[in-house]
Amino acid sequence: MPVTHGIEFTRIQVWLYTWIWLASSLVPVALEAMAGIYAVIALVLGARFLQWSYRLLRGKQVEAAWQTFKFSIRYLLCLFLALLLSLPVAIDNLLNLSFRHKCSYEPDYY
């Protein structure tokens, strides 16, 4: 993208996309599909990713771009590992939620 749109445009896009990534990584928490350890890991990783993209946005160093790129790969790896780690808890929560709804049925014909 720097070749076609310029370096400054690319820096701004990375900054904006990082905010979108952070928001989208918290969607499972908002939908109550994931919680606990996943929420903490997603927030910590997202904050660190924002830090790297801010360095890229404000810095004039070529190394900041490479460091941001390297962290983005680690970010995705750790985020998917957090999903796998939280999956048993999420499945248990979903099963308990559906069981509670089935057991709490009360007829309306009093």
Side-chain angles (χ1 to χ4, degrees):
M1 196 152 73
V3 173
T4 59
H5 291 84
I7 293 173
E8 287 303 314
F9 179 81
T10 304
R11 288 179 180 175
I12 293 169
Q13 291 298 311
V14 169
W15 173 249
L16 295 175
Y17 286 139
T18 304
W19 279 103
I20 292 169
W21 268 109
L22 177 62
S24 64
S25 71
L26 296 176
V27 167
V29 177
L31 296 176
E32 296 179 2
M34 295 287 168
I37 187 108
Y38 173 80
V40 171
I41 291 173
L43 283 172
V44 169
L45 288 172
R48 185 72 172 143
F49 197 13
L50 281 173
Q51 183 183 20
W52 276 113
S53 65
Y54 184 77
R55 286 182 185 173
L56 176 64
L57 180 68
R58 294 294 172 215
K60 303 292 183 197
Q61 306 165 357
V62 175
E63 189 170 314
W66 279 112
Q67 294 297 329
T68 304
F69 173 72
K70 289 177 189 176
F71 185 79
S72 70
I73 293 171
R74 286 181 292 204
Y75 169 79
L76 286 174
L77 172 69
C78 292
L79 199 61
F80 287 132
L81 288 175
L83 278 170
L84 286 174
L85 187 67
S86 299
L87 194 58
V89 175
I91 290 172
D92 187 48
N93 288 344
L94 289 173
L95 291 175
N96 286 335
L97 181 66
S98 65
F99 182 71
R100 265 187 271 145
H101 285 292
K102 288 179 184 175
C103 292
S104 63
Y105 176 75
E106 295 180 18
D108 294 333
Y109 56 85
Y110 286 114

